[in-house]
Amino acid sequence: MSNTRILARPAKLLLALLSLAPLAFSGAEAGAPPDVQRLDNLLARTANRTSGFLDQFSDVKCTEQVRQEKLGKDDKVELKEDSSYDYLMIMTHTGGELNLSESRIPIREAKKDRKNTSMLLSNGFATLFLVFHPYYAAAFKFSSAGEEVLGWRTMEKVAFQHVQGMKSPAALALRGREYPLELSGTAWIDVETGSITKIEAGVADTLQDVGLKALTSQVDFAPVTFSDSKEQYWFPTQARVEVETGRQHWRNLHQFTAYKKFSVSTEEQVITK
């Protein structure tokens, strides 16, 4: 398997979704058990937060440092490559829709001194929060997994499971094809604000027919403040991706630092004759 590529693929979102009221989950109906209402209210706040987060995230740039590792027996590192990029999430408007794409301008690229050694390319995992965005939320089943205190904040652990046949925010790109990933995992959500502080996600054995044995990922978020604003922005600080096939094992670590405000307004128009 050469240069296996895992991507939490850029989303194509309808612009109207960004201005929707909090997503209405069925459990929020009158008469639902209190625990169900509580979870659905939290999911509605989180959906709203992720909608706003897209605007915030597209207004900043940062430095992305990537370490790619190929693991051997006993998970010992056989080969590693380090690179860094100027990272920017770009939003463009086309025909009433919002398109997201990543811009990664190399600052320092890894030396290509290996021969016939495949490495894992993992892109887009900073956007794994899209599991909770209104555009994708209907494609997942959510359940409460209890509470946990991280630092001084109380977090609700929310388990999620992709519904087979529905759209997915992540895919495996292999031999010119994309295979949607049946993601499942857990998110740690701030009970008061609805902000996501950590997501762990992976796939079961749904892609063994193409050689994927296991995939796990974890994305951590932390508050960032800027000198011209007192508001806190929750941005990704690191993403860890690990992939295993029957014969090979990789681990990638993405670190996001040095966030700076960077606002670009881009609009595309389709002209027909």
Side-chain angles (χ1 to χ4, degrees):
M1 184 179 292
S2 61
N3 281 351
T4 302
R5 186 171 174 230
I6 302 288
L7 58 151
R9 56 188 170 194
K12 176 179 272 191
L13 308 175
L14 295 178
L15 275 174
L17 289 176
L18 298 181
S19 60
L20 284 178
L23 190 64
F25 291 85
S26 60
E29 298 175 355
D35 57 337
V36 174
Q37 291 189 38
R38 179 174 175 274
L39 174 61
D40 286 353
N41 287 334
L42 176 63
L43 290 172
R45 293 201 305 275
T46 303
N48 230 23
R49 293 285 287 184
T50 55
S51 294
F53 179 81
L54 284 177
D55 287 330
Q56 297 171 352
F57 200 34
S58 63
D59 283 342
V60 300
K61 64 177 181 177
C62 67
T63 299
E64 180 190 18
Q65 296 172 312
V66 182
R67 166 161 288 190
Q68 298 167 278
E69 296 177 335
K70 188 176 187 303
L71 307 179
K73 292 183 178 180
D74 301 321
D75 291 341
K76 291 183 178 180
V77 178
E78 291 184 344
L79 179 68
K80 64 181 179 181
E81 296 182 355
D82 293 300
S83 54
S84 56
Y85 306 87
D86 278 330
Y87 180 93
L88 176 66
M89 179 63 67
I90 299 175
M91 294 197 302
T92 58
H93 299 168
T94 306
E97 293 185 346
L98 176 67
N99 298 280
L100 301 180
S101 60
E102 286 184 317
S103 171
R104 304 168 86 210
I105 301 174
I107 300 173
R108 179 172 60 87
E109 292 191 281
K111 295 181 180 179
K112 302 300 180 182
D113 56 357
R114 52 187 167 83
K115 294 182 179 180
N116 298 322
T117 303
S118 58
M119 298 294 279
L120 175 69
L121 304 177
S122 51
N123 300 334
F125 277 83
T127 64
L128 198 56
F129 65 88
L130 288 173
V131 166
F132 291 86
H133 190 278
Y135 184 74
Y136 284 109
F140 289 86
K141 293 181 179 179
F142 300 97
S143 60
S144 176
E147 291 185 347
E148 183 175 336
V149 177
L150 296 179
W152 67 94
R153 295 175 179 269
T154 299
M155 302 294 165
E156 181 78 22
K157 296 169 63 177
V158 177
F160 56 89
Q161 173 67 58
H162 184 255
V163 179
Q164 190 173 12
M166 302 287 281
K167 53 184 175 287
S168 172
L172 166 68
L174 180 63
R175 304 186 190 98
R177 290 187 60 187
E178 282 191 11
Y179 300 87
L181 296 180
E182 303 282 348
L183 290 175
S184 62
T186 304
W188 282 253
I189 301 176
D190 189 309
V191 172
E192 293 185 4
T193 66
S195 297
I196 299 169
T197 61
K198 181 171 70 171
I199 299 179
E200 293 180 353
V203 296
D205 57 357
T206 55
L207 287 175
Q208 287 202 13
D209 56 335
V210 295
L212 184 64
K213 183 179 178 181
L215 180 149
T216 59
S217 63
Q218 177 178 317
V219 183
D220 296 317
F221 300 80
V224 176
T225 57
F226 299 96
S227 58
D228 62 345
S229 175
K230 294 182 179 180
E231 185 178 359
Q232 284 189 337
Y233 300 84
W234 284 80
F235 292 142
T237 55
Q238 72 172 22
R240 177 188 175 108
V241 184
E242 196 161 340
V243 171
E244 188 173 358
T245 68
R247 297 182 178 181
Q248 302 191 77
H249 191 180
W250 302 278
R251 180 173 61 210
N252 287 2
L253 179 65
H254 303 252
Q255 292 184 307
F256 304 92
T257 60
Y259 278 99
K260 297 178 181 179
K261 288 259 181 107
F262 181 80
S263 181
V264 174
S265 178
T266 303
E267 185 171 351
E268 295 180 359
Q269 291 183 343
V270 179
I271 299 177
T272 58
K273 294 182 180 181

